[in-house]
């Protein structure tokens, strides 16, 4: 099976712009989660989708949003970009229904630089 | 979410065993102990998980204390490829979520 894919891999934007990142989960996986990784804050949970429904949301401002499509592919959007949004954005998928045991499979990430 | 405490860094020589400790004194009865690692320039990858009993797989072993307040990830023979940040994470089986709460992890350096 192909792994989790994320596009684009690298992105440069300027402050005030918006950005959309895409994630294709492993075939058959219905759960997709997003994380932000920065040197200062480490890995932080953004949100989680299962069957097109947001199941959980992390402590991020409303500028961060996401959605999941019927084919389980997911997108996240960040509006009005700030310098502090520069980070590695990671997507993970699992086959789960949230029992606490499922393995999360991570993509390679999208590295976003905001100038 | 229950918290874990890990040393910031550890060192090992190649082909030696490595024991990575994790303290989780506030663990609940339904929390599974998961370990993930992140190699340089990659996303995290699953290593192993367990509830009460010790667990083994092709990558590592997980030793869980009898009171479950601590656990140890054991790499039996470290290789250069094992140099990574290792994260110990508690996941609540009753939470109906896949959310992972990452701590700061342990950065493992492996020397030839």
């Amino acid at each position: 099976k192909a792994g989790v894919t994320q596009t684009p891999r690298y992105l440069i934007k300027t402050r005030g712009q918006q950005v959309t990142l895409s994630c294709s989960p492993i075939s058959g996986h219905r759960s997709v989660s997003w994380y932000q990784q920065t040197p200062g804050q480490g890995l932080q949970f953004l949100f989680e989708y299962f069957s097109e429904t947001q199941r959980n949301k992390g402590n991020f401002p409303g500028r961060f949003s996401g959605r999941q499509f019927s084919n389980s592919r997911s997108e996240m959007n960040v509006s009005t970009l700030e310098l502090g949004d520069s980070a590695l954005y990671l997507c993970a998928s699992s086959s789960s229904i949230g029992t606490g045991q499922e393995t999360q499979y991570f993509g390679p990430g999208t590295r976003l630089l905001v100038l | 979410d229950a918290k874990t405490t890990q040393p910031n860094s550890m060192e090992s020589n190649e082909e030696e065993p490595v024991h990575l400790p994790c303290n989780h004194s506030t663990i609940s009865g339904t929390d599974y102990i998961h370990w993930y690692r992140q190699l340089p320039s990659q996303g995290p990858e699953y290593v192993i998980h367990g509830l009460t009993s010790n667990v083994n797989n092709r990558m590592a072993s997980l030793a869980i204390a009898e009171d479950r307040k601590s656990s140890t990830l054991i790499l039996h023979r470290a290789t250069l490829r094992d140099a990574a940040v290792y994260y110990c994470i508690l996941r609540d089986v009753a939470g109906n979520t896949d959310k992972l709460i990452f701590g700061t992890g342990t950065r493992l350096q492996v020397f030839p």
Side-chain angles (χ1 to χ4, degrees):
Chain A
K1 279 185 182 177
V4 177
T5 58
Q6 294 186 246
T7 56
R9 292 292 311 279
Y10 303 93
L11 205 49
I12 300 175
K13 292 286 188 178
T14 56
R15 277 181 299 174
Q17 287 187 309
Q18 76 163 12
V19 67
T20 299
L21 311 181
S22 181
C23 171
S24 292
I26 290 172
S27 177
H29 285 189
R30 296 165 64 190
S31 175
V32 173
S33 300
W34 288 89
Y35 297 83
Q36 180 197 65
Q37 185 170 28
T38 60
Q41 299 297 319
L43 274 155
Q44 293 186 287
F45 170 77
L46 276 159
F47 22 66
E48 173 189 9
Y49 288 89
F50 182 77
S51 293
E52 300 179 69
T53 300
Q54 188 179 83
R55 190 159 63 179
N56 248 304
K57 189 176 194 304
N59 189 24
F60 279 82
R63 300 184 297 106
F64 290 81
S65 63
R67 60 179 176 167
Q68 187 181 32
F69 302 96
S70 58
N71 62 359
S72 294
R73 191 177 68 84
S74 177
E75 288 181 348
M76 66 163 283
N77 183 277
V78 188
S79 62
T80 320
L81 284 166
E82 300 177 0
L83 296 179
D85 297 333
S86 295
L88 179 66
Y89 290 88
L90 291 156
C91 168
S93 77
S94 82
S95 58
S96 99
I97 55 173
T99 65
Q101 291 198 68
E102 293 81 6
T103 297
Q104 293 270 297
Y105 295 88
F106 284 80
T110 293
R111 187 164 294 281
L112 172 65
L113 176 62
V114 181
L115 301 175
Chain B
D1 298 303
K3 290 198 168 184
T4 63
T5 305
Q6 299 176 253
N8 288 334
S9 63
M10 292 186 66
E11 297 178 352
S12 175
N13 293 318
E14 209 175 3
E15 299 192 4
E16 287 185 353
V18 181
H19 290 232
L20 298 167
C22 180
N23 287 320
H24 28 79
S25 58
T26 60
I27 191 170
S28 75
T30 53
D31 283 337
Y32 276 80
I33 302 160
H34 287 247
W35 284 80
Y36 281 74
R37 72 179 185 181
Q38 187 172 21
L39 303 172
S41 303
Q42 295 187 27
E45 65 175 351
Y46 168 82
V47 177
I48 200 166
H49 78 279
L51 183 64
T52 56
S53 305
N54 295 345
V55 185
N56 301 296
N57 67 19
R58 64 173 180 81
M59 289 180 69
S61 295
L62 176 60
I64 301 172
E66 195 169 336
D67 63 4
R68 300 209 327 125
K69 293 185 186 300
S70 67
S71 60
T72 303
L73 179 70
I74 302 166
L75 306 179
H76 295 286
R77 291 181 69 214
T79 68
L80 296 177
R81 197 191 171 278
D82 292 322
V85 178
Y86 287 78
Y87 297 97
C88 170
I89 300 165
L90 300 182
R91 294 186 63 188
D92 183 4
V93 68
N96 191 32
T97 176
D98 282 338
K99 179 175 70 173
L100 296 176
I101 305 298
F102 288 87
T104 53
T106 297
R107 182 174 298 278
L108 175 65
Q109 289 183 280
V110 180
F111 298 105

